[in-house]
């Protein structure tokens, strides 16, 4: 499972922060170590390497605020509150939703979601997986409605990667270093 996650995190074109940073710093003629250090530094932010941790924290807040995972009305209200900057960290974001390049789907997310489903069944977290699946579906609808989007929005690979890492018993402080390992 970890191998799959590493491959999926490595698989990405040049439009993301760490790859872009590497291209820019490398083009200055610096050494490989400096370019790699700069790329790793770009992973620290919550909009790149730290997304899966923000997703995990958001889901902790969802579980606290919406203890009935089946109550779609409560989940929808919570998601609207996220977008209105009234819930969680007041950033106006549903973490793990949307991508700069992918709109219909993030192919990495589709693959990881299926592995997450299988792992959740094997580890006794099927109910938790259903919460993720439900939030993903409701988030797509809520974002499109609230932001008046005409093109679809999709979950990205980070929506499920933190959940996978937690089921594997990996501490949260290693999520970003694992992402860095996959990119290197």
């Amino acid at each position: 499972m970890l191998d799959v996650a590493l491959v999926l995190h490595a698989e990405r074109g040049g439009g993301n922060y760490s790859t872009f940073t590497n291209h820019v710093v490398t083009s200055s003629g610096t050494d490989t170590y400096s370019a790699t250090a700069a790329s790793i530094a770009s992973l620290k932010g919550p909009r790149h390497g730290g997304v899966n941790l923000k997703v995990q924290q958001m889901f902790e807040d969802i579980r606290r605020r919406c203890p009935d995972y089946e109550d779609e009305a409560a989940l929808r209200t919570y998601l609207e509150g996220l977008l209105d900057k009234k819930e969680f960290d007041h950033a106006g974001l549903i973490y793990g939703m949307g991508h700069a390049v992918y709109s219909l789907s993030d192919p990495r997310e589709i693959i990881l979601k299926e592995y997450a489903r299988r792992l959740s069944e094997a580890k006794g977290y099927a109910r938790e997986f259903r919460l993720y699946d439900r939030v993903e579906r409701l988030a797509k609808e809520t974002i499109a409605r609230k932001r008046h989007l005409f093109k679809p929005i999709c979950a990205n690979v980070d929506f499920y990667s933190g959940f996978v890492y937690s089921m594997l018993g990996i501490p949260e402080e290693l999520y970003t270093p694992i992402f860095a390992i996959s990119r290197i």
Side-chain angles (χ1 to χ4, degrees), residues 156-171:
N156 60 55
V157 70
D158 292 309
F159 194 82
Y160 289 96
S161 64
F163 179 47
V164 166
Y165 294 161
S166 69
M167 287 189 289
L168 293 175
I170 296 171

Side-chain angles (χ1 to χ4, degrees), residues 1-183:
M1 184 70 231
L2 185 56
D3 287 345
V4 169
L6 289 170
V7 168
L8 293 174
H9 277 299
E11 176 56 38
R12 180 65 172 85
N16 61 71
Y17 297 110
S18 58
T19 303
F20 177 78
T21 300
N22 192 274
H23 285 285
V24 170
V25 176
T26 301
S27 71
S28 74
T30 192
D31 61 282
T32 301
Y33 301 105
S34 297
T36 302
S39 299
I40 290 172
S42 76
L43 293 173
K44 187 177 179 186
R47 293 194 177 191
H48 191 31
V51 176
N52 56 16
L53 183 54
K54 290 298 275 191
V55 171
Q56 287 297 99
Q57 293 165 349
M58 178 183 74
F59 269 92
E60 287 173 22
D61 196 54
I62 289 172
R63 286 188 290 277
R64 198 169 35 256
R65 304 284 308 242
C66 305
D68 180 2
Y69 297 179
E70 307 292 323
D71 187 350
E72 289 195 8
L75 288 170
R76 190 174 284 111
T77 299
Y78 178 88
L79 294 172
E80 289 172 356
L82 281 174
L83 295 174
D84 292 337
K85 300 181 180 183
K86 295 178 181 175
E87 298 290 349
F88 183 48
D89 64 357
H90 310 286
L93 299 171
I94 300 176
Y95 291 98
M97 295 301 300
H99 197 277
V101 175
Y102 304 121
S103 58
L104 289 177
S105 68
D106 177 346
R108 303 164 307 156
E109 181 269 345
I110 292 170
I111 294 167
L112 191 62
K113 180 179 181 179
E114 176 57 24
Y115 276 91
R117 183 191 62 75
R118 286 192 249 158
L119 184 62
S120 72
E121 290 170 358
K123 294 267 192 176
Y125 290 98
R127 182 172 184 257
E128 193 76 11
F129 175 81
R130 287 191 301 273
L131 172 63
Y132 276 78
D133 186 50
R134 187 172 292 117
V135 168
E136 177 187 357
R137 179 176 47 81
L138 294 172
K140 289 177 184 181
E141 298 167 6
T142 304
I143 293 168
R145 184 174 37 76
K146 297 272 298 169
R147 301 269 164 85
H148 308 289
L149 298 178
F150 297 103
K151 69 175 192 166
I153 191 161
C154 66
N156 60 55
V157 70
D158 292 309
F159 194 82
Y160 289 96
S161 64
F163 179 47
V164 166
Y165 294 161
S166 69
M167 287 189 289
L168 293 175
I170 296 171
E172 290 181 345
E173 53 272 5
L174 294 180
Y175 291 7
T176 302
I178 288 171
F179 190 54
I181 290 166
S182 72
R183 285 296 165 95

